[in-house]
């Protein structure tokens, strides 16, 4: 039997290095892993990029998405060689649904009031808007269970998300035809844990709760995250 390759998709205000601890755990079990950079420029284009990476991997692929990365694997997971989806403190969209619509049905978290707007150039068009998380709010909102010094470094190194990504609707929902797993970060101050639970339940995912875990659960509890991914790998190998 072929061991699936695990493709890790980071979310907004983070980069692929946020998976470092998870990668170490998975490689310790002999699991092939790749953690590409997420462009963070829009749901459709980002999902197409992730799908293209998956398509170029020989053999089956497990897609793992953190935060906004969950929305991307929901769409990119329709790629033929993707055999499972793992959501980590993530958005799990329905086909035709946007991040804004999903979030709008639940109480807002401190993330909303902590966003800062910037602009970036778009060739042949007006500058577009992107958002980051305020540096002073980052440790509490994003990584309350991460050592403060580490959270402060993550805040400085965070990558912005195009604001338009909140309004784009998902063109597909791969969880309708692919098995899924979800880790709910019960202490999350960025994505309401109820948003995570709702999406996971709607998808029929196998769910585990990480009590007290922050949004940065992949950084603070890499073994818990890796253990769930290993469940998916073993179930689909």
């Amino acid at each position: 039997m072929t061991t699936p390759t695990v493709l890790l998709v980071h979310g907004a205000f983070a980069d692929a290095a946020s998976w470092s601890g998870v990668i170490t755990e998975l490689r310790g079990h002999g699991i092939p892993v790749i953690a590409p950079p997420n462009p963070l420029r829009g749901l459709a284009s980002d999902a197409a990029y992730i799908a293209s990476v998956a398509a170029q991997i020989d053999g089956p692929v497990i897609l793992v998405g953190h935060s906004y990365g969950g929305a991307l694997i929901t769409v990119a997971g329709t790629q033929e060689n993707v055999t499972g989806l793992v959501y980590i403190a993530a958005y799990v969209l329905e086909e035709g649904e946007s991040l804004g619509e999903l979030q709008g049905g639940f109480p807002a978290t401190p993330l909303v009031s902590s966003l800062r707007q910037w602009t970036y150039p778009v060739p042949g068009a007006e500058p577009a808007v992107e958002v980051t998380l305020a540096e002073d709010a980052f440790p509490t909102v994003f990584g309350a269970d991460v050592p403060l010094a580490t959270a402060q470094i993550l805040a400085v190194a965070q990558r912005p998300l195009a604001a338009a990504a909140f309004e784009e609707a998902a063109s597909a929902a791969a969880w309708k035809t692919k098995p899924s797993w979800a880790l709910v970060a019960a202490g999350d101050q960025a994505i309401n844990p109820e948003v995570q639970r709702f999406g996971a339940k709607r998808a029929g995912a196998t769910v585990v709760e990480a009590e007290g875990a922050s949004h940065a659960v992949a950084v603070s509890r890499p073994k818990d995250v890796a253990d769930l991914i290993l469940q998916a790998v073993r179930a689909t190998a």
Side-chain angles (χ1 to χ4, degrees), residues 91-172:
Y91 294 108
V92 187
L93 296 180
E94 170 63 281
E95 183 175 354
E97 183 178 55
S98 70
L99 296 176
E101 289 171 337
L102 176 56
Q103 287 190 137
F106 298 86
T109 66
L111 174 76
V112 177
S113 60
S114 302
L115 294 177
R116 299 293 179 264
Q117 289 194 355
W118 307 74
T119 60
Y120 64 95
V122 178
E126 292 296 314
V129 175
E130 62 184 10
V131 293
T132 60
L133 184 53
E135 189 176 328
D136 60 349
F138 192 101
T140 300
V141 174
F142 199 94
D145 59 350
V146 175
L148 179 59
T150 300
Q152 290 172 331
I153 292 171
L154 295 175
V156 171
Q158 66 177 292
R159 292 182 54 212
L161 173 67
F166 291 102
E167 305 306 322
E168 285 189 63
S171 60

Side-chain angles (χ1 to χ4, degrees), residues 13-234:
F13 322 129
D15 62 20
S18 61
W19 294 112
S20 296
V22 176
I23 292 169
T24 298
E25 292 284 343
L26 293 175
R27 291 183 63 153
H29 288 272
I31 306 299
V33 186
I34 182 171
N38 180 351
L40 300 175
R41 296 294 79 171
L43 179 56
S45 61
D46 293 344
Y49 174 74
I50 296 303
S52 75
V53 174
Q56 295 174 72
I57 296 173
D58 291 332
V61 172
I62 297 288
L63 288 182
V64 182
H66 172 246
S67 187
Y68 165 69
L72 303 187
I73 70 169
T74 295
V75 177
T78 57
Q79 174 61 37
E80 186 177 355
N81 63 329
V82 172
T83 57
L85 311 167
V86 183
Y87 295 93
I88 307 298
Y91 294 108
V92 187
L93 296 180
E94 170 63 281
E95 183 175 354
E97 183 178 55
S98 70
L99 296 176
E101 289 171 337
L102 176 56
Q103 287 190 137
F106 298 86
T109 66
L111 174 76
V112 177
S113 60
S114 302
L115 294 177
R116 299 293 179 264
Q117 289 194 355
W118 307 74
T119 60
Y120 64 95
V122 178
E126 292 296 314
V129 175
E130 62 184 10
V131 293
T132 60
L133 184 53
E135 189 176 328
D136 60 349
F138 192 101
T140 300
V141 174
F142 199 94
D145 59 350
V146 175
L148 179 59
T150 300
Q152 290 172 331
I153 292 171
L154 295 175
V156 171
Q158 66 177 292
R159 292 182 54 212
L161 173 67
F166 291 102
E167 305 306 322
E168 285 189 63
S171 60
W175 48 259
K176 292 184 176 181
T177 57
K178 310 284 176 79
S180 59
W181 291 259
L183 182 147
V184 174
D188 203 328
Q189 295 296 303
I191 299 178
N192 188 328
E194 288 303 322
V195 172
Q196 300 173 39
R197 293 184 185 105
F198 172 80
K201 181 178 180 180
R202 180 172 61 181
T206 298
V207 180
V208 298
E209 293 256 348
E211 293 299 329
S214 75
H215 194 59
V217 63
V219 178
S220 63
R221 305 191 190 184
K223 186 178 186 305
D224 291 347
V225 172
D227 284 348
L228 183 62
I229 296 170
L230 287 168
Q231 284 188 37
V233 168
R234 290 163 181 156

